[in-house]
């Protein structure tokens, strides 16, 4: 039985405007620069025909002016980036890269092949992997079953849904209770089925303090926001309590795998994967990122172990011609201190994410990748007087650990050009100052003052 299902249109309607909004790309992001018209062709051997018309002359003049402006803008940007990179908060362990989004040409580079700890910009790699591995419309379906052999045994079967909330568990309990009462059942034993994922474990490079404060261990059944030892049992207890409230005596016996011969009683559908990815990017949700990385492997027919999920990510990136020299991935969230990435790998992934209309509609939608000074983890940034002109013109993923700051995304230049950028700094623990220095770099890419 499939735990992940392509959602028919009728399943999307109840999600509400907030979820639907994450699927929409603003006209600003969807727009593309219009190329300057080419001059009229010259007919060989005929001077009269070859003489450019007034329209052609205007076109040539316009093209020359645009080319001149673009060159001046690029020169100014490089000068400002060079100056910004000399900030005392961006030392020898700083890397940066700026690409022209339309052509892929390198506009500015600093240590672009050196591997750095990427922090939460690792989530860009995870988003790309999952969006290339499954449909954005896929939903995760948590189900309940009653054993046919022992009808009093009820199983809460997880689908690896990191968004499963206490409210949804209570609603699922009410639906299940209706079915049980209809069959005359008044007492049940509840089992938590988390078997869709292997036994949970920490990623290489995670500090022991990260669990459960920063991230949940990846379990096939979880409850969003839970910070205790076992999210699967916590989910089963909330579910059982709702059965009891509905008039069915229910006790939780612990973990259990749903038998092959079982009757389905109820379902709870997540929002589409597109919404889960958008949430992950917007607020930098570590738990969502780790679940999505496993789900990408699962949807590709792999057993979703750490090893398979990480190897699958590299396969997806390689197929997209993302350069992987120096890339070391140990988790999906960027918490691992063993992750390493050159800015060229990061910037190229952002470029691929933008190039594909399907992934662009998800990742660059309002409410997904943060916008400078407006949404997500960039809401309170780009506030210095010299940076305010870039508000809303930088759409990017942030990354922060105690000694690592990163920023990568798209800058919408004042000259109408889109530029892909990636900046990573390691080693400086003055986080607020490093962030501000990186934001100044982002402002330089926009080209505003």
């Amino acid at each position: 039985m499939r735990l992940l299902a392509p959602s028919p249109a009728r399943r999307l309607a109840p999600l509400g405007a907030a979820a639907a909004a994450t699927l929409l790309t603003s006209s600003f992001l969807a727009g593309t620069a219009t190329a300057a018209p080419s001059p009229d062709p010259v007919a060989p051997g005929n001077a009269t025909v070859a003489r450019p018309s007034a329209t052609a002359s205007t076109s040539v003049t316009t093209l020359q002016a645009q080319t001149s402006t673009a060159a001046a803008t690029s020169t100014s940007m490089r000068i400002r980036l060079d100056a910004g990179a000399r900030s005392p908060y961006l030392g020898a362990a700083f890397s940066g890269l700026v690409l022209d989004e339309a052509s892929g040409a390198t506009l500015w580079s600093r240590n672009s092949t050196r591997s750095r700890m990427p922090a939460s910009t690792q989530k860009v790699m995870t988003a790309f992997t999952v969006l290339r591995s499954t449909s954005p419309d896929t939903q995760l379906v948590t189900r309940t079953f009653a054993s046919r052999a022992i009808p009093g045994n009820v199983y809460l079967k997880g689908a690896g849904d990191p968004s499963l909330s206490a409210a949804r568990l209570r609603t699922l309990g009410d639906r299940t209770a209706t079915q049980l009462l209809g069959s005359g059942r008044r007492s049940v034993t509840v089992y938590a089925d988390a078997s869709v994922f292997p036994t949970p474990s920490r990623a290489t490079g995670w500090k022991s303090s990260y669990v459960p404060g920063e991230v949940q261990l990846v379990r096939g059944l979880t409850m969003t926001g839970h910070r205790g030892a076992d999210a699967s049992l916590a989910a089963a207890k909330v579910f059982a309590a709702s059965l009891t409230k509905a008039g069915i005596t229910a006790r939780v016996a612990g973990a259990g795998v749903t038998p092959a011969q079982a009757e389905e009683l109820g379902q709870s559908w997540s929002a589409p994967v597109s919404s889960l990815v958008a949430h992950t990017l917007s607020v930098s949700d570590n738990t969502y990122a780790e679940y999505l990385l496993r789900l990408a492997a699962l949807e590709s027919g792999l057993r979703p172990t750490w090893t398979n999920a990480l190897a699958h990510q590299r396969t997806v990136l390689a197929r997209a011609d993302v350069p992987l020299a120096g890339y070391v991935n140990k988790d999906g969230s960027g918490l691992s201190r063993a992750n390493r990435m050159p800015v060229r790998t990061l910037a190229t992934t952002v470029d691929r994410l933008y190039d594909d209309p399907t992934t662009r509609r998800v990742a660059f939608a309002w409410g997904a990748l943060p916008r400078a000074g407006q949404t997500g983890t960039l809401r309170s940034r780009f506030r210095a007087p010299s940076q305010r002109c870039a508000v809303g013109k930088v759409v990017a993923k942030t990354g922060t650990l105690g000694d690592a700051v990163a920023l990568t995304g798209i800058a919408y230049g004042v000259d109408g050009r889109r530029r892909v950028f990636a900046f990573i700094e390691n080693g400086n623990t003055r986080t607020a100052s490093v962030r501000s220095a990186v934001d100044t770099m982002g402002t330089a890419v926009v080209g505003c003052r």
Side-chain angles (χ1 to χ4, degrees), residues 14 40 89 91 96 161 166 223 314 366 377 379 439 449:
D40 292 338
Y89 303 109
D161 178 5
M223 184 168 65
R314 295 185 70 91
W366 185 278
T377 54
R379 182 185 297 275
D439 291 352
R449 295 182 183 275

Side-chain angles (χ1 to χ4, degrees), residues 29 35 40 86 205 208 217 255 259 292 333 366 399 401 434:
L29 290 179
D40 292 338
R86 291 193 291 271
S208 58
L217 293 179
L292 288 171
S333 63
W366 185 278
L401 290 173
V434 178

